[in-house]
Each structure stands twice: as C-alpha cells, then as structure tokens.
C-alpha cells in the first residue's frame, strides 16, 4: 500500500485567518478539502466559490471540492474559476446524468471524484470507477463536523480497496468523517489511503498548526505502527 495522504477540511479552519492557515498547511498537507453545501442536500451551509476565490491563492497543493448539492452541475464553472482542481459530487445526486457530469468536470480541466453517503452501496458506483480520480467514503452523515464514526463503513472501504486491486484501477480511497487517532488504525487496515482531517484529527490538537500537524503525525504513527515519510 502506498504511503497515506492527508487532506485538510477548510470548513474546520478559523475563517478570520483562513488565508494564513491555508499558507501554513500547504507546507504539510497533500490537499485541501472544500465543503460546498446548498442547505438542501446537506442540512447546512458552508464554503462558497466566491470565498474560495479569495482564499485559494494561498494554497500550493491540490484543492478538492466536495459538492453536497442537489444540482452539482450549477457549481462546476464557479468552482473551476475559483481555482479548484478536483470536483467530487455525491453519487446520490447523479442518477440521471452521472456520465454527463463527469465529462463536464473533465472538460473544465478538473479531476473527477465521487462521494458515497453511509447508506449508499459501493456497488452503485462501480460503472463510474474507471472515470474517477478520488472515491470518498463518508464515515459520518453529511452536513456537520464532530459526529461519531460509523464503524459499519469499514466493510465498504474494504470493498473499494479489493475492487481497486482486482481491476488495476487508480482511484484514491479517501475517508471523510472522524479521522483521528481513534480511527486511523482501523481505517488504514480497511484500505484507506487519504484521511480528511478536521477538528478531531488536527485543529483541536494545538492552536499552532505546525505543532498540531506534528502531533497528528505522531498520533498516526503510534496508532498504526506505520512510519510516515519525512516531510520535505
């Protein structure tokens, strides 16, 4: 298995100093995870393309938008204009136009992702797996940070990892929800490759984000027994 990757959820940042925090975390993280919510599909509101356009110039790493919206297509051009590199809509919103949306994302020069809610089966996305760069498996219900981890999702992660290996595919298995020292080991054992860090996994560890990152790495290594590559 490849070395793990770590994404940071911008929704959990201090918005008053978001630009500074993005600059700091760009030195450590592999990507930023950008939650876009419409207040309908997800019962909350979060980041907007206009806000991202102001903040993302501080980023020097991959910027991935997680689109929790009834109509993901309407967000594609604004997100591309804001500097997003990968767009990940929810499969639950793509029943009538999944392949058209994937093609639209590619046509705007962005990578493609898909997100599965906890009750959505892995089998439902099999026809699209050859077309995506990232498969995000939710291990909490969408909408709010700080929810308890749903252990039943480990089997879905195992399915995604087994299918990827069996068919020689390249999608990145990313986990969204309660990634922390309490879950790193079981997620990694199931086949997780990228961990999205929020309050529990990063921001609550230390107000100094360089120190918080060092603590997160120590937590990961201690709980998984895996030595992380040295940072550049």
């Amino acid at each position: 298995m490849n070395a793990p990757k770590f994404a940071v959820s911008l929704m959990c940042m201090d918005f008053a100093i978001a630009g500074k925090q993005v600059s700091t975390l760009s030195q450590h993280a592999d990507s930023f995870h950008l939650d876009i919510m419409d207040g309908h599909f997800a019962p909350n509101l979060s980041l907007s393309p206009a806000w991202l356009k102001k903040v993302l110039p501080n980023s020097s790493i991959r910027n991935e938008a997680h689109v929790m919206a009834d109509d993901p297509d309407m967000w594609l051009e604004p997100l591309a204009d804001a500097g997003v590199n990968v767009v990940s809509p929810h499969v639950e919103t793509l029943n009538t136009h999944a392949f058209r949306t994937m093609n639209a994302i590619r046509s705007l020069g962005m990578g493609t992702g898909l997100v599965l809610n906890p009750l959505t089966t892995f089998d439902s996305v099999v026809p699209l797996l050859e077309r995506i760069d990232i498969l995000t498996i939710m291990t909490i219900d969408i909408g709010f940070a700080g929810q308890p981890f749903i252990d039943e999702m480990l089997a879905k992660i195992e399915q995604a990892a087994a299918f990827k290996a069996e068919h020689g595919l390249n999608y990145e298995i990313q986990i969204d929800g309660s990634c922390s020292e309490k879950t790193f080991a079981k997620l990694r054992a199931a086949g997780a490759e990228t961990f999205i860090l929020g309050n529990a996994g990063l921001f609550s560890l230390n107000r100094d984000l360089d120190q918080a990152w060092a603590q997160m790495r120590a937590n990961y290594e201690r709980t998984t027994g895996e030595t992380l590559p040295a940072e550049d």
Side-chain angles (χ1 to χ4, degrees), residues 58 64 77 112 149 183 195 199 224:
N58 296 284
E64 182 228 352
E77 289 191 10
T112 53
F149 183 82
T183 59
F195 301 84
N199 289 322
T224 64

Side-chain angles (χ1 to χ4, degrees), residues 42-133:
N44 197 358
L45 294 171
S46 187
L47 313 178
S48 73
W51 186 83
L52 291 175
K53 196 169 184 177
K54 298 290 187 181
V55 173
L56 292 186
N58 296 284
S59 169
S60 57
I61 57 178
R62 182 179 72 186
N63 303 308
E64 182 228 352
H66 173 188
V67 181
M68 290 169 268
D70 289 332
D71 182 6
D73 290 10
M74 69 173 285
W75 297 90
L76 301 184
E77 289 191 10
L79 289 171
D81 186 55
V84 168
N85 307 117
V86 181
V87 172
S88 297
H90 270 261
V91 67
E92 301 87 5
T93 67
L94 299 177
N95 290 331
T96 62
H97 52 93
F99 293 92
R100 186 164 65 244
T101 297
M102 293 295 106
N103 291 340
I105 294 170
R106 291 284 190 204
S107 72
L108 289 166
M110 298 181 290
T112 53
L114 278 176
V115 188
L116 283 73
N117 270 331
L119 278 182
T120 302
T121 65
F122 172 75
D123 289 343
S124 68
V125 296
V126 166
L128 288 165
L129 292 178
E130 291 188 6
R131 294 173 176 253
I132 66 170
D133 301 300

Side-chain angles (χ1 to χ4, degrees), residues 92 116-122 135-141 148-161 173-178 183 186-192:
E92 301 87 5
L116 283 73
N117 270 331
L119 278 182
T120 302
T121 65
F122 172 75
L135 178 66
T136 301
I137 296 175
M138 298 297 303
T139 51
I140 61 172
D141 287 325
F149 183 82
I150 303 172
D151 280 280
E152 290 84 349
M153 296 305 101
L154 293 170
K156 189 187 296 185
I157 299 167
E158 291 171 353
Q159 278 186 285
I173 301 173
Q174 178 171 256
I175 309 304
D176 190 354
S178 196
T183 59
K186 57 187 174 182
L187 286 169
R188 187 63 165 163

